[in-house]
Amino acid sequence: DKYFEKMSYLKEKYSDKIDLRIGVELGLQPHIAEHLKKISQKYPFDFIIGSSHVVDKCDPYYPSFFEGREEQTAYREYFECVLQNLKSYTNFDSLGHLDYVVRYGPTKNENYAWTQYREILDAILRILIKNEIALEVNTGGYKYGLGEPNPCADILKRYKELGGKLLTIGSDAHYSRDIGSGFDIAYDMLKSCNFKYYNIFRKRKPEFIQL
């Protein structure tokens, strides 16, 4: 309540200077689906991003997630978790950093190809398209040395091939200095994938902006 009240105050105070929109990131997990629903319905957000961070009570951010298992197995478990989350809850506007797990793998994306998990990723993308949920292009992947955003360009191409049209761009900025970082690279990459537009949201409705 305090967060939303503060943001609403700032939105009104600076309305003549900046178009401030209010959003929230929901950490997707099946057992809290009802709680997430209440949050999304309680406040008039402009934008809700849904992200998967936790697999069997462990975040891939921590090295312990990869201990005692092959990297490919760990990646598969993460993608299976994303799919399960989407089967449980879809009341959000964009799916955050789809291949987030790759940032933290022992070899990152050195041995990673989306086709290794094609059946799961296709199922994920089809759910997004069916429910008109955008796919986030998260430029944090550049910061983590992947040379690509999350998800990678090949997944974005597959999304387009399946009929996906809604894209949001986020920098995963935990510090002000990182806001918008990598956007220029992402724009060029999206154009090379033949995307024409990206989206921003107002009152949870997508607006199309030409690349």
Side-chain angles (χ1 to χ4, degrees):
D1 290 339
K2 291 182 179 179
Y3 160 80
F4 195 85
E5 289 174 4
K6 180 66 173 179
M7 293 301 295
S8 297
Y9 166 76
L10 294 174
K11 183 175 184 176
E12 178 65 26
K13 181 177 180 179
Y14 298 105
S15 60
D16 60 330
K17 296 181 177 65
I18 186 173
D19 180 12
L20 180 62
R21 305 187 188 185
I22 303 175
V24 67
E25 180 177 20
L26 300 181
L28 305 178
Q29 295 185 71
H31 68 281
I32 59 171
E34 282 301 314
H35 176 63
L36 299 180
K37 181 179 179 180
K38 290 178 182 178
I39 292 175
S40 64
Q41 292 178 341
K42 183 176 181 179
Y43 304 102
F45 291 112
D46 287 300
F47 177 60
I48 299 177
I49 187 166
S51 302
S52 295
H53 297 98
V54 177
V55 182
D56 193 23
K57 300 181 181 181
C58 187
D59 191 325
Y61 174 83
Y62 297 102
S64 58
F65 178 76
F66 296 93
E67 291 177 359
R69 70 176 102 181
E70 293 183 356
E71 185 176 63
Q72 187 171 337
T73 300
Y75 287 3
R76 176 172 290 274
E77 288 186 14
Y78 176 81
F79 291 129
E80 288 174 343
C81 178
V82 174
L83 179 57
Q84 186 59 46
N85 288 340
L86 287 174
K87 289 180 177 180
S88 303
Y89 190 78
T90 56
N91 186 16
F92 56 93
D93 306 311
S94 183
L95 179 68
H97 50 52
L98 174 52
D99 56 7
Y100 162 87
V101 66
V102 178
R103 294 179 182 177
Y104 309 108
T107 68
K108 297 192 174 183
N109 60 349
E110 182 179 342
N111 302 302
Y112 164 65
W114 81 276
T115 50
Q116 297 167 313
Y117 319 95
R118 182 177 188 135
E119 74 283 4
I120 307 172
L121 288 167
D122 271 2
I124 290 170
L125 297 176
R126 291 182 193 279
I127 290 175
L128 298 183
I129 294 166
K130 178 182 177 181
N131 290 277
E132 298 184 336
I133 297 171
L135 180 61
E136 184 201 31
V137 181
N138 188 301
T139 61
Y142 298 122
K143 182 175 63 177
Y144 283 89
L146 302 180
E148 294 200 84
N150 300 111
C152 63
D154 285 342
I155 291 178
L156 290 165
K157 291 175 183 177
R158 179 58 175 165
Y159 174 65
K160 189 175 192 300
E161 184 179 303
L162 292 173
K165 298 178 181 179
L166 297 173
L167 293 171
T168 60
I169 304 175
S171 53
D172 216 331
H174 290 226
Y175 301 96
S176 59
R177 65 175 180 269
D178 293 325
I179 294 174
S181 175
F183 276 22
D184 53 343
I185 306 172
Y187 289 160
D188 291 340
M189 182 272 296
L190 288 172
K191 287 181 179 179
S192 73
C193 293
N194 294 317
F195 284 99
K196 305 298 183 185
Y197 302 93
Y198 70 97
N199 303 94
I200 59 177
F201 283 74
R202 184 193 299 274
K203 296 182 179 179
R204 303 201 56 198
K205 300 295 183 183
E207 300 174 357
F208 287 80
I209 300 176
Q210 190 169 359
L211 287 163

